[in-house]
Amino acid sequence: MIVVTGASGHLGRLVVEELAGHVPASHIVAAVRSPQKAAGLAERGIQVREADYDRPDTLGPAFEGATKILLISGSEVGQRVGQHKAVVDAAKAAGVELLAYTSILHADTTPLGLAPEHKATEEYIRASGVPFAFLRNGWYHENYVATARQAVQSGVIAGSARDGRVASAARADFAAAAAAVLTGDGHRSAVYELSGDVAWSLPELAALVSELSGAPVEYRDLPVAEYAKILEAHGLPEPVAAMFAETDAGIADGWLGSTPGDLSRLIGRPTTPLRDTLAEALKNG
């Protein structure tokens, strides 16, 4: 029995889809905060169980009979350590053979603002004694879809990454890697640094968007504080805008550009090119 938490989210749904191609639907549990959002999965014979990170009493029943669990990190920055600890405790109580966790690239060393909660979660998992695998996900191509669409209209991609590089991959690539770990053997105590095969810069992103759309697009590099103000003007809360602007500074310093090849090795194929994801996104508006 394989349990996927956060199974109604973008990544979780893709993991469930991948698993369905490898194991019987009845062996998959989609653990979700709101079961009604996963009704389509239930219709396919996949078990849907309530699992709310903020309500630990839901986690024990959700993990009943589980042999492997994928803990997809929560989306509420600042609250995730406590949420994740509740999942780890429930996984330990369930006696699972493997707890896989979606972390962040170089979680133990990166200065990126998103990393401390991931590092703390990894440390808690190690200390728990639960057999684990860390899936340290890099950036998704999809993180730049809205940026690309906006740039077609404005002609500008702004940022603070200078000529730093991003080794992103499609969300489906990361889902395939998670499914490979959950259905394969030999992954206990493994730490995978997952990133795309090809790293690119924001100036190259601007050139690609221009090529795909036919509209002139340029990259405009800004000081971190100025870029954060722009993100605030687009509706992000001040601390979130500051974190994303600082992430661009981390890109400039090389923290999202490594290409160790773990992802392509796990999925048994090259990672999806950025061009493919953006071409599809821009075609569909």
Side-chain angles (χ1 to χ4, degrees):
M1 188 72 71
I2 300 173
V3 178
V4 178
T5 71
S8 59
H10 293 301
L11 179 61
R13 281 188 175 273
L14 290 172
V15 173
V16 170
E17 291 290 341
E18 282 285 339
L19 288 173
H22 293 86
V23 300
S26 59
H27 292 191
I28 304 169
V29 173
V32 297
R33 180 178 292 179
S34 302
Q36 62 269 25
K37 292 183 178 180
L41 297 176
E43 291 170 1
R44 295 169 52 187
I46 293 167
Q47 297 185 57
V48 176
R49 300 177 184 174
E50 182 182 13
D52 188 334
Y53 295 170
D54 290 319
R55 293 168 54 220
D57 58 296
T58 65
L59 300 176
F63 296 167
E64 185 176 348
T67 53
K68 297 179 181 180
I69 295 173
L70 174 65
L71 166 54
I72 293 182
S73 56
S75 59
E76 297 165 294
V77 176
Q79 302 180 45
R80 296 189 289 184
V81 176
Q83 293 174 335
H84 296 167
K85 284 182 176 180
V87 175
V88 175
D89 292 345
K92 182 175 182 178
V96 297
E97 297 173 4
L98 186 73
L99 174 64
Y101 170 62
T102 61
S103 188
I104 192 172
L105 206 62
H106 309 300
D108 52 344
T109 57
T110 181
L112 296 184
L114 289 170
E117 288 180 301
H118 290 293
K119 181 180 180 181
T121 299
E122 288 190 6
E123 291 172 348
Y124 191 78
I125 292 172
R126 287 183 185 274
S128 75
V130 177
F132 68 86
F134 294 151
L135 309 178
R136 291 179 171 174
N137 290 356
W139 252 216
Y140 303 145
H141 290 337
E142 288 82 358
N143 291 356
Y144 292 93
V145 165
T147 299
R149 288 173 173 162
Q150 175 272 329
V152 173
Q153 304 302 319
S154 68
V156 174
I157 291 176
S160 299
R162 302 197 301 274
D163 58 354
R165 307 188 77 76
V166 180
S168 62
R171 190 179 277 116
D173 295 337
F174 293 100
V181 168
L182 293 168
T183 58
D185 297 318
H187 300 292
R188 283 193 180 196
S189 302
V191 178
Y192 295 112
E193 303 287 355
L194 303 179
S195 60
D197 295 335
V198 178
W200 47 269
S201 66
L202 289 184
E204 289 170 347
L205 173 65
L208 177 59
V209 173
S210 182
E211 177 190 341
L212 292 172
S213 67
V217 177
E218 66 171 357
Y219 172 62
R220 188 170 299 164
D221 200 70
L222 303 171
V224 170
E226 187 175 339
Y227 181 43
K229 291 295 184 184
I230 289 176
L231 294 175
E232 283 185 64
H234 281 83
L236 289 181
E238 186 275 332
V240 177
M243 181 180 295
F244 279 113
E246 289 293 344
T247 297
D248 257 31
I251 290 172
D253 291 336
W255 286 103
L256 289 175
S258 61
T259 55
D262 286 4
L263 181 52
S264 55
R265 281 191 291 272
L266 274 177
I267 63 180
R269 59 169 172 78
T271 58
T272 304
L274 176 66
R275 170 184 294 273
D276 292 2
T277 298
L278 292 187
E280 184 68 19
L282 293 175
K283 181 178 71 174
N284 294 328

